[in-house]
């Protein structure tokens, strides 16, 4: 026996070697417990970051347990985040084309433009792109990581409709619709007459339920506490394990996705647990998410995990990437996939780590130090304004009046020397100097300071550096913010666009109709692929709108000069692109409100001297010329023949009329000759002479016209001369000349 076949026979079958659903569910649970962000230091840091951002006097920021002490908390993290967000959103939401796909071949040029337009339409028009991107960026600035999930949702919506006065045919047509389920049917109070029989017709009132399928491309932010990823993941591209533990999936959501309602009733209810991070998120609203209880069973929260895991499920020895949806120990969906749907934003990259740092990591010690200094300065101010008093027991002082001073009140005492204030030195000056030093350290770390906040009028005066120096300082301070923007663009935004393109190519089964810059486009994503190169238009130095406007104005001025000096150097499309960018920098997203794009130009610019046509082009041109000459010749011949026929008919008509008139004249002349006694032949000669004198001019005119028509026909009958190509000794075309017959 063949040893290879013998070995294969000894192996168990694939089903025996594969993994069961229970084993897969346990594997996912183990991966969740070991994943990054599951009840570990990262989760604790995210909770503390929210406390620092909100300025809560808890944990490390809690004041000493002493009455009448300051409880203020410095909100430097909040200030830094809120002053960074406007610049970020101006970059990412100020234009529809923050990213574009680039072709790798000339044939992909239009496909890349269509793919860019379609992805932008899905992100900004079909979904709340601004708020989704805003939440992801703000979350990553505060809590190190922001996550956006992209997927195609295929489900159905249910609604009820009522119809009254339906006849049997209308009722039958309504019931034949597969989307309609008749819920209630009863005779109608309305009356009608059957037109065929004249008898009363039966009408019905109907209440139906409609189930309409829908397909939507969804973008949704994922709270950090619901996001899990393997600790050993070095990149967001295809990690070994990544998962989403949503807290808002209801029984109704699962049923609408096609899961058996009886199975959904057996699934476990989600336990929110004491998630401090989730509690802090809604603490200001006075709502505790762990105490919610839905009376409607369809709105019952289900404990669901959606995981993408690299696992050898089929037992062939090679791990495949699988998407698994499970609730408790029940695997609801299990399918092979090629990627996960998450785009991860992290503003400060750390080498070989998916989740980097946020502004909290830069300002954590600054907030603690500044909080302590501020509290000490305020406590000192309280003591200076309300000093501690030394009171002698034998002075007989009214302590109630002393401790509760009222303007104009009297404090009784037996001895005026019985009360003395203890002097508290003021530390306000030194304390504020220290706080100012801490602020400078904060500005240097984050790049968010007085100048780029628009608050530095006094600082500009004190520095004595002038407006140009202030502009350089602002540009230097913004470098950190610009770098964070570039990191977010190259990581989160790029992957976001790629995920949208992948969903369109994978799930869109018909043409898309979308409106771009006031024009309707019909796009077919099935003709695209997902390997296009992607570039983002977020670069260093693009923060200041005034700098952009000044640069564009310089470009347009140079275009004007270059177009005058070298004609053809600046095309109409070049000028339109500069004007469109200028309008976008001014804040107008649709530049075609003001300027109309020129017609599409050829890829290769036309030289001033026409290029030498190819031999095939010359032969084609010759054939076209000969065809046109043949058409003209045929038309001339038809016209000449028509004119000859018309002239012949006219000649016959005139001759007939003249013969008739000549006969009449001859008859009258014979009668007159008979009356006078003349011979009849003499009368005929006189009549003939008179007739010849009358018709001679007419005959001459007809003959002249016939000669002209004959000449035109002879000229039209000459065949057109052909063209021949004259070539040199090497076979190259030199010129074109008439062909010798």
């Amino acid at each position: 026996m063949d040893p290879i076949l013998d070995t294969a026979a000894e192996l168990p079958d694939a089903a025996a070697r594969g993994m069961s659903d229970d084993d897969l569910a346990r594997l996912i649970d183990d991966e969740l417990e070991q994943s990054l962000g599951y009840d570990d230091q990262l989760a604790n840091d995210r909770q503390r970051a929210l406390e620092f951002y909100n300025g809560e006097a808890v944990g490390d920021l809690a004041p000493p347990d002493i009455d009448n002490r300051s409880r203020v908390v410095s909100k430097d993290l909040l200030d830094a985040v809120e002053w960074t967000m406007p610049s970020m959103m101006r970059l990412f939401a100020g234009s529809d084309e923050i990213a574009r796909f680039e072709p790798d071949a000339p044939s992909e040029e239009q496909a890349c433009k269509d793919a860019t337009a379609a992805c932008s339409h899905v992100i900004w028009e079909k979904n709340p792109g601004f708020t989704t991107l805003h939440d992801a960026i703000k979350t990553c600035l505060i809590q190190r990581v922001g996550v956006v999930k992209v997927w195609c949702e295929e489900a159905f919506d249910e609604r009820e409709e009522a119809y009254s006065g339906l006849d049997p045919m209308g009722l039958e047509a309504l019931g034949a619709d597969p989307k309609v389920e008749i819920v209630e049917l009863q005779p109608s109070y309305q009356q009608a007459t059957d037109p065929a029989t004249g008898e009363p017709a039966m009408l019905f009132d109907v209440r139906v339920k409609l189930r309409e399928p829908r397909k939507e491309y969804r973008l949704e932010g994922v709270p950090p506490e619901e996001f899990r990823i393997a600790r050993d993941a070095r990149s967001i591209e295809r990690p070994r394990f990544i998962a989403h533990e949503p807290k808002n999936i209801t029984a109704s959501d699962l049923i609408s996705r096609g899961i058996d309602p009886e199975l959904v009733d057996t699934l476990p209810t989600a336990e929110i647990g004491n998630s401090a991070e989730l509690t802090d998120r809604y603490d200001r609203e006075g709502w505790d998410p762990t105490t919610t209880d839905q009376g409607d069973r369809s709105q019952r929260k289900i404990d669901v995990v959606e995981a993408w895991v690299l696992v050898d499920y089929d037992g062939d020895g090679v791990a495949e990437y699988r998407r698994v949806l499970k609730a408790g120990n029940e695997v609801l969906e299990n399918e092979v996939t090629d990627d996960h749907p998450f785009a991860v934003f992290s503003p400060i990259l750390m080498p070989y780590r998916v989740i980097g740092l946020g502004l909290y990591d830069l300002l954590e010690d600054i907030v603690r130090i500044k909080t302590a200094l501020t509290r000490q300065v305020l406590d000192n101010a309280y003591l200076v304004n309300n000093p501690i008093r030394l009171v002698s027991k034998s002075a007989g002082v009214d302590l109630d009046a002393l401790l509760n001073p009222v303007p104009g009140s009297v404090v009784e005492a037996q001895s005026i020397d019985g009360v003395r204030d203890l002097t508290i030195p003021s530390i306000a000056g030194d304390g504020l100097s220290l706080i100012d030093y801490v602020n400078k350290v904060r500005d240097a770390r984050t790049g968010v300071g007085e100048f780029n906040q628009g608050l530095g009028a006094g600082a500009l005066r004190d520095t004595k550096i002038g407006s140009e120096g202030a502009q350089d300082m602002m540009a230097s301070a913004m470098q950190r913010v610009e770098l964070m923007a570039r990191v977010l663009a190259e990581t989160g935004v790029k992957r976001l666009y790629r995920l949208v393109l992948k969903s369109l190519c994978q799930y869109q089964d018909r043409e898309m109709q979308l409106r771009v810059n006031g024009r309707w486009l019909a796009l077919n994503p099935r003709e695209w692929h997902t390997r296009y190169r992607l570039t983002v238009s977020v670069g260093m130095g693009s923060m200041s709108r005034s700098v952009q406007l000044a640069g564009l104005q310089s470009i347009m001025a140079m275009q004007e000069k270059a177009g005058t000096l070298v004609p053809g150097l600046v095309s109409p499309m070049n000028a339109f692109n500069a004007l469109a960018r200028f309008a976008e920098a001014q804040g107008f997203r649709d530049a075609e409100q003001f300027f109309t794009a020129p017609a599409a130009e050829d890829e290769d610019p036309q030289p001033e001297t026409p290029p030498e046509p190819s031999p095939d082009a010359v032969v084609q041109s010759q054939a076209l010329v000969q065809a046109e000459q043949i058409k003209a010749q045929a038309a001339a011949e038809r016209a000449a023949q028509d004119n000859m026929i018309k002239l012949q008919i006219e000649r016959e008509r005139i001759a007939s009329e003249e013969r008739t008139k000549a006969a009449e004249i001859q008859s009258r002349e014979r009668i007159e000759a008979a009356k006078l006694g003349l011979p009849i032949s003499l009368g005929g000669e006189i009549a003939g002479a008179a007739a010849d004198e009358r018709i001679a001019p007419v005959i001459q005119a007809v003959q002249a016209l016939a000669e002209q028509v004959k000449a035109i026909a002879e000229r039209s009958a000459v065949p057109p001369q052909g063209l021949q190509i004259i070539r040199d000794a090497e076979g190259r075309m030199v010129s074109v000349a008439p062909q010798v017959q």
Side-chain angles (χ1 to χ4, degrees):
M1 179 180 286
D2 191 343
I4 298 179
L5 297 178
D6 190 19
T7 303
E10 294 176 358
L11 292 175
D13 59 356
R17 290 185 289 113
M19 181 181 293
S20 66
D21 286 348
D22 291 339
D23 294 336
L24 183 61
R26 284 193 295 270
L27 174 66
I28 292 176
D29 289 337
D30 293 340
E31 291 285 356
L32 284 174
E33 292 180 359
Q34 300 173 14
S35 63
L36 192 62
Y38 183 85
D39 194 20
D40 56 4
Q41 184 61 41
L42 177 61
N44 295 333
D45 290 344
R46 290 199 304 256
Q47 177 191 350
R48 293 181 61 204
L50 279 178
E51 294 171 353
F52 277 51
Y53 177 83
N54 294 326
E56 299 176 6
V58 296
D60 293 342
L61 302 179
D65 191 12
I66 302 175
D67 294 337
N68 300 324
R69 298 294 294 270
S70 174
R71 299 178 58 86
V72 69
V73 176
S74 178
K75 294 187 177 182
D76 293 86
L77 179 58
L78 183 146
D79 294 337
V81 170
E82 296 303 325
W83 275 110
T84 304
M85 285 301 299
S87 299
M88 293 289 185
M89 298 313 298
R90 183 171 67 246
L91 285 174
F92 292 111
S95 173
D96 288 335
E97 193 175 321
I98 61 174
R100 62 180 178 273
F101 295 101
E102 299 290 350
D104 292 324
S107 59
E108 297 177 349
E109 184 77 31
Q110 188 59 43
C112 287
K113 292 181 180 179
D114 293 344
T116 302
C119 292
S120 298
H121 179 76
V122 170
I123 294 173
W124 302 106
E125 302 296 335
K126 292 297 185 179
N127 287 275
F130 179 87
T131 55
T132 302
L133 206 58
H134 173 277
D135 292 349
I137 294 175
K138 190 169 185 176
T139 303
C140 74
L141 292 176
I142 300 173
Q143 298 180 284
R144 299 179 182 171
V145 61
V147 183
V148 176
K149 185 178 181 181
V150 180
W151 78 102
C152 178
E153 184 175 77
E154 294 181 300
F156 61 85
D157 295 327
E158 284 191 356
R159 72 174 191 273
E160 289 191 356
E161 294 183 354
Y163 301 91
S164 61
L166 289 181
D167 58 15
M169 293 183 62
L171 180 62
E172 183 180 358
L174 187 65
D177 191 345
K179 301 178 183 178
V180 174
E181 176 186 354
I182 298 179
V183 178
E184 182 179 350
L185 175 64
Q186 59 184 3
S188 176
Y189 67 90
Q190 301 183 27
Q191 297 181 357
T193 302
D194 190 344
T197 62
E199 298 179 356
M202 178 67 73
L203 301 180
F204 301 93
D205 292 340
V206 185
R207 187 164 57 88
V208 300
K209 179 185 295 185
L210 277 76
R211 294 167 61 96
E212 295 184 345
R214 58 180 171 87
K215 178 187 293 185
E216 295 179 339
Y217 298 99
R218 298 283 305 278
L219 273 72
E220 188 176 275
V222 178
E225 64 269 15
E226 298 180 2
F227 177 69
R228 304 286 182 266
I229 190 170
R231 291 183 179 274
D232 57 356
R234 296 185 178 183
S235 170
I236 193 61
E237 304 293 337
R238 201 178 173 87
R240 182 177 55 81
F241 175 81
I242 190 170
H244 179 205
E245 286 189 288
K247 307 299 182 183
N248 59 346
I249 298 297
T250 64
S252 175
D253 295 332
L254 295 178
I255 294 174
S256 68
R257 295 174 63 169
I259 299 176
D260 186 6
E262 296 182 358
L263 176 60
V264 173
D265 287 339
T266 63
L267 299 179
T269 302
E271 296 182 2
I272 303 299
N274 296 323
S275 174
E277 196 172 351
L278 183 62
T279 303
D280 287 341
R281 194 178 301 281
Y282 301 102
D283 185 59
R284 286 178 172 269
E285 301 174 4
W287 176 58
D288 185 2
T290 63
T291 61
T292 57
D293 184 16
Q294 299 292 342
D296 184 7
R297 188 163 180 79
S298 69
Q299 297 302 306
R300 181 173 64 96
K301 301 292 192 304
I302 305 297
D303 185 11
V304 172
V305 176
E306 190 174 16
W308 286 258
V309 58
L310 194 62
V311 60
D312 180 19
Y313 178 78
D314 53 12
D316 61 355
V318 179
E320 61 271 4
Y321 213 49
R322 288 187 171 270
R323 171 190 165 273
V324 180
L325 179 68
K326 81 175 194 70
N329 295 324
E330 190 74 32
V331 175
L332 305 178
E333 296 176 0
N334 180 10
E335 59 183 0
V336 177
T337 185
D338 58 350
D339 200 0
H340 62 83
F342 300 105
V344 176
F345 296 75
S346 192
I348 302 175
L349 294 179
M350 295 296 290
Y352 316 115
R353 290 173 55 185
V354 174
I355 300 176
L357 304 178
L359 292 182
Y360 161 77
D361 300 281
L362 304 182
L363 296 174
E364 185 265 341
D365 58 335
I366 297 293
V367 172
R368 289 191 291 103
I369 294 171
K370 192 173 177 181
T371 296
L373 291 175
T374 304
R375 286 175 178 173
Q376 291 178 12
V377 170
L378 292 176
D379 289 341
N380 177 257
Y382 299 155
L383 292 175
V384 170
N385 293 331
N386 299 278
I388 300 175
R389 290 183 173 87
L390 183 63
V391 180
S392 175
K393 292 183 178 181
S394 61
V397 179
D398 186 356
L399 295 180
D400 291 337
L402 185 65
L403 295 176
N404 300 284
V406 178
S409 62
V410 177
V411 178
E412 296 180 355
Q414 295 180 359
S415 173
I416 195 171
D417 297 329
V419 179
R420 186 177 63 185
D421 292 340
L422 295 180
T423 302
I424 304 296
S426 175
I427 62 169
D430 296 335
L432 293 177
S433 298
L434 285 174
I435 292 175
D436 185 59
Y437 168 76
V438 174
N439 288 338
K440 292 179 180 179
V441 175
R442 175 203 63 193
D443 298 345
R445 285 189 185 180
T446 62
V448 181
E450 290 184 349
F451 283 100
N452 47 22
Q453 291 178 7
L455 306 175
L460 177 61
R461 181 186 63 252
D462 295 339
T463 54
K464 300 178 182 179
I465 58 177
S467 59
E468 294 183 0
Q471 187 173 0
D472 293 340
M473 290 183 63
M474 291 175 61
S476 177
M478 290 298 291
Q479 288 181 2
R480 280 182 175 269
V481 180
E482 290 176 351
L483 180 58
M484 286 190 288
R486 187 69 184 184
V487 168
L488 296 178
E490 292 290 343
T491 55
V493 173
K494 264 192 173 182
R495 179 161 177 82
L496 178 64
Y497 269 77
R498 289 196 181 279
L499 290 173
V500 173
L501 176 63
K502 178 178 179 295
S503 296
L504 289 174
C505 294
Q506 187 172 355
Y507 296 103
Q508 187 67 26
D509 53 2
R510 64 190 66 183
E511 284 190 348
M512 296 177 60
Q513 298 286 337
L514 56 95
R515 193 167 181 260
V516 179
N517 294 335
R519 294 176 296 177
W520 285 96
L521 301 179
L523 307 180
N524 188 4
R526 291 172 293 180
E527 299 176 354
W528 309 336
H529 61 75
T530 60
R531 300 183 302 275
Y532 297 129
R533 290 184 296 110
L534 185 64
T535 60
V536 290
S537 56
V538 177
M540 303 295 288
S542 60
M543 281 292 190
S544 175
R545 180 171 294 179
S546 60
V547 174
Q548 292 184 40
L549 293 175
L552 288 170
Q553 287 175 343
S554 300
I555 290 175
M556 288 187 290
M558 288 188 291
Q559 283 181 334
E560 183 179 1
K561 293 180 180 179
T564 304
L565 295 175
V566 184
L569 185 60
V570 180
S571 67
M573 183 57 71
N574 297 143
F576 172 78
N577 290 336
L579 293 172
R581 292 292 185 183
F582 188 82
E584 290 179 1
Q586 289 278 13
F588 301 99
R589 302 179 69 174
D590 185 6
E592 294 197 4
Q593 299 179 66
F594 314 102
F595 312 105
T596 301
E601 301 175 353
D602 296 333
E603 294 182 359
D604 297 330
Q606 296 293 336
E608 296 182 2
T609 303
E612 179 181 342
S614 63
D616 294 338
V618 172
V619 173
Q620 185 178 5
S621 300
Q622 176 185 356
L624 293 174
V625 170
Q626 291 180 351
E628 294 297 330
Q629 290 178 348
I630 292 173
K631 289 181 181 179
Q633 176 183 347
E637 291 177 353
R638 286 195 300 270
Q641 291 175 359
D642 293 342
N643 290 335
M644 289 292 293
I645 293 172
K646 292 179 181 178
L647 288 174
Q648 185 67 26
I649 294 173
E650 186 68 18
R651 183 191 304 176
E652 294 293 336
R653 185 183 65 80
I654 294 174
S656 176
E657 291 178 354
E658 290 301 326
R659 285 194 297 269
T660 302
K661 291 180 180 180
E664 292 177 354
I665 294 172
Q666 184 177 3
S667 177
R668 286 196 298 269
E669 291 294 336
R670 289 178 178 178
I671 293 172
E672 293 295 331
K675 291 180 179 179
L676 296 175
L678 297 174
I680 296 176
S681 59
L682 180 61
E685 293 176 357
I686 295 173
D692 290 340
E693 290 179 358
R694 291 188 183 95
I695 65 174
V698 177
I699 293 175
Q700 292 176 359
V702 171
Q703 291 176 349
L705 183 59
E707 293 294 334
Q708 293 179 3
V709 173
K710 183 178 180 182
I712 293 174
E714 290 176 353
R715 290 196 302 268
S716 302
V718 176
Q721 291 184 345
L723 300 177
Q724 64 177 352
I725 303 172
I726 300 175
R727 303 180 181 273
D728 58 12
E730 297 180 356
R732 293 177 298 184
M733 189 186 71
V734 177
S735 63
V736 180
Q739 186 175 4
V740 179
Q741 299 294 331

